[in-house]
Amino acid sequence: KLRCLAPESAGSQSRLDRSVLKHYFQDMVTKNNHTYLDHAAATYVDPRVLHAMLPYFEESYANPSSFHTPGLAAKQAVTAARKKIAALLNCREPEILFTSGGTESDNLALIGLVRAYKKSGRHVITSAIEHPAVLEPLRWLEQASEIELSVLAVDQDGRVDPKDVVQALRPDTILVSIMYANNEIGTIQPLADIGREILKWRKQNKTAFPFFHSDACQAAGACEMDVEKLHVDALALNGSKIYGSKGAGALYLRHGVTLEPLGHGGGQERGLRSGTENVPGIVGLARALEIAQAEKDTENARLIKLRDRLIEGLLAIPKTVLHGHATERLPNNVNISFLDVEGEAAVLYLDAQGIYVSTGSACASKSLEPSHVIVALGQSAEAAHCSLRFTLGRRTSAKDIERVIKIVPGVIEKLRAMSAINL
């Protein structure tokens, strides 16, 4: 692990101080206790989901495109999953496209929409705190001169003001992409309000544009998922965030909205996403979303109590800052900067205690750059490097939270004593 985090070839680029790494194994303990608090990065597969998936690995394993009996059985499973997800999102069955996950869903929606409607406009609006699965393809399109991109600022809590969206709209705006809930700081956006403003703009200007897309990968199971109430035209989902399997996702695409496919081949998913369907993953995704939405209210209430207790305990540590909205945040998300401490070093030392957290987005964990989300809140790059994300899950207990509250202060104190940072 030392070699992985600070290889000799990394030189000055390593964010971890060598003196911190030197003492790492001195603090290693036998990990009889494990506290996993990185559910925003990935969840385990719920046993109920696994039970639904298992038959499609060994028994009903045929290709859904095959016209024989086993193939038709697999196709029926995909159809049933599509029907279930459509009902949960309050949309039509053909409006659900299955993908490999949130990143593909976002890319398919963003790049596909831009290219399908390039004759109608080139302007796209997004926010400064979007997931890389949204920001990177949009910046790539901008660099290729395929779009003009407006990136909206957020307030200190990470919220997008619907009025700012309206002010940024232009006659050539074809797409607005605002995430539902932030993966790093947990802030929930006023998505329905933004959607209503976009609908109002369309009506006033007698146009079908702009389309409204949202990355909702973190929101499923925590927020309202009715696409009619949210007024979205495209919505991305990811199974591995809701106790489904990795490699399974979906894109809601409103009827009448088209895409230019990113790939071509067998013509699956209405010709918009070719490739043999991941039947076990699709079945698991549908079951996972069904469970998440059915248990949403009860589980949210439980998690909020644990979340708030964790916030209370961690903010008792001197020189700490909570990121994200105080109340309009995901029930399981706590993001705090421990000033004068390198986030990567804290992750390493907590790992030695059997506490597993992250410094922010798992998708950007290899980057040495400070979190673009924390910086967008008005925090310094140094403070961004000091941030840790604790994300709770279904197995997280009050005992887990008290254990974290007990251990973290000592880790932070030790790292501050070794740190050359002074904020």
Side-chain angles (χ1 to χ4, degrees):
K1 186 167 288 186
L2 274 171
R3 192 169 297 168
C4 174
L5 288 170
E8 293 181 4
S9 61
S12 61
Q13 289 188 348
S14 175
R15 289 291 305 173
L16 290 177
D17 188 276
R18 296 283 176 172
S19 64
V20 173
L21 291 170
K22 180 179 178 180
H23 297 285
Y24 171 67
F25 282 112
Q26 296 177 8
D27 289 337
M28 284 293 287
V29 296
T30 302
K31 297 179 182 177
N32 294 323
N33 294 317
H34 298 267
T35 305
Y36 182 83
L37 296 180
D38 199 19
H39 291 85
T43 56
Y44 63 88
V45 176
D46 187 293
R48 294 167 290 181
V49 173
L50 181 60
H51 178 74
M53 294 172 63
L54 284 176
Y56 300 96
F57 284 108
E58 189 176 11
E59 298 171 14
S60 299
Y61 52 82
N63 190 319
S65 296
S66 298
F67 195 59
H68 45 57
T69 299
L72 292 176
K75 183 177 181 179
Q76 288 172 357
V78 173
T79 299
R82 200 186 311 274
K83 182 177 181 180
K84 183 178 294 183
I85 294 174
L88 291 167
L89 300 187
N90 188 27
C91 66
R92 306 176 186 181
E93 294 173 40
E95 294 177 316
I96 300 298
L97 304 175
F98 291 117
T99 69
S100 64
T103 296
E104 185 186 357
S105 293
D106 285 331
N107 275 258
L108 179 59
L110 299 171
I111 300 173
L113 280 168
V114 164
R115 290 182 170 171
Y117 295 96
K118 59 186 177 183
K119 294 182 179 179
S120 300
R122 300 178 66 252
H123 183 232
V124 177
I125 298 170
T126 192
S127 85
I129 63 168
E130 296 297 310
H131 191 280
V134 169
L135 284 178
E136 291 305 311
L138 289 180
R139 285 172 176 158
W140 176 72
L141 288 168
E142 181 184 36
Q143 291 172 359
S145 299
E146 293 189 49
I147 64 169
E148 292 179 22
L149 183 63
S150 293
V151 181
L152 302 179
V154 295
D155 63 21
Q156 63 181 5
D157 296 323
R159 296 261 285 182
V160 175
D161 190 332
K163 294 180 181 178
D164 290 342
V165 176
V166 174
Q167 291 177 358
L169 290 172
R170 305 183 336 200
D172 64 335
T173 304
I174 58 170
L175 178 64
V176 175
S177 180
I178 304 293
M179 72 192 321
Y180 199 165
N182 188 267
N183 54 297
E184 289 194 38
I185 60 174
T187 295
I188 299 172
Q189 300 297 343
L191 208 65
D193 294 338
I194 295 171
R196 277 190 290 270
E197 292 296 335
I198 291 173
L199 288 178
K200 190 184 300 181
W201 164 273
R202 292 176 184 169
K203 186 175 181 179
Q204 291 174 346
N205 291 273
K206 298 180 180 179
T207 176
F209 303 102
F211 296 123
F212 186 25
H213 162 267
S214 182
D215 180 331
C217 293
Q218 296 289 338
C223 303
E224 171 67 66
M225 297 301 290
D226 187 323
V227 295
E228 291 301 320
K229 293 180 179 178
L230 296 174
H231 312 296
V232 292
D233 300 294
L235 189 96
L237 297 172
N238 189 340
S240 67
K241 311 300 184 185
I242 55 173
Y243 305 89
S245 70
K246 299 173 183 65
L251 173 67
Y252 157 73
L253 185 69
R254 186 178 295 278
H255 176 73
V257 180
T258 189
L259 299 172
E260 181 176 305
L262 300 185
H264 301 274
Q268 291 88 349
E269 300 303 295
R270 293 166 38 206
L272 299 177
R273 201 276 183 179
S274 292
T276 301
E277 295 92 337
N278 173 11
V279 181
I282 289 169
V283 170
L285 173 64
R287 182 68 176 124
L289 185 60
E290 179 182 44
I291 294 169
Q293 293 307 107
E295 300 179 354
K296 175 170 64 71
D297 293 342
T298 301
E299 181 64 1
N300 284 355
R302 187 186 75 86
L303 287 173
I304 287 172
K305 290 181 180 179
L306 297 178
R307 178 200 70 188
D308 291 349
R309 171 58 185 141
L310 180 58
I311 291 173
E312 177 188 33
L314 295 180
L315 288 183
I317 302 172
K319 299 181 73 174
T320 57
V321 179
L322 175 67
H323 302 299
H325 199 281
T327 57
E328 295 299 318
R329 68 185 302 130
L330 291 172
N332 73 331
N333 181 289
V334 178
N335 189 303
I336 289 183
S337 280
F338 299 93
L339 303 183
D340 300 343
V341 171
E342 283 285 359
E344 294 93 337
V347 169
L348 189 62
Y349 269 70
L350 289 173
D351 181 274
Q353 299 287 343
I355 297 173
Y356 311 122
V357 301
S358 71
T359 55
S361 171
C363 299
S365 61
K366 296 180 181 179
S367 173
L368 299 179
E369 295 299 317
S371 163
H372 70 283
V373 174
I374 305 300
V375 172
L377 304 182
Q379 299 289 332
S380 67
E382 290 77 14
H385 276 302
C386 298
S387 68
L388 289 184
R389 181 184 68 179
F390 303 77
T391 44
L392 290 59
R394 290 178 186 164
R395 291 176 178 167
T396 306
S397 67
K399 183 179 178 181
D400 292 324
I401 298 303
E402 295 306 320
R403 178 170 180 263
V404 172
I405 291 173
K406 180 180 179 180
I407 291 174
V408 171
V411 170
I412 299 303
E413 181 180 4
K414 179 176 291 188
L415 289 172
R416 281 176 174 164
M418 292 188 288
S419 177
I421 304 173
N422 187 6
L423 297 181

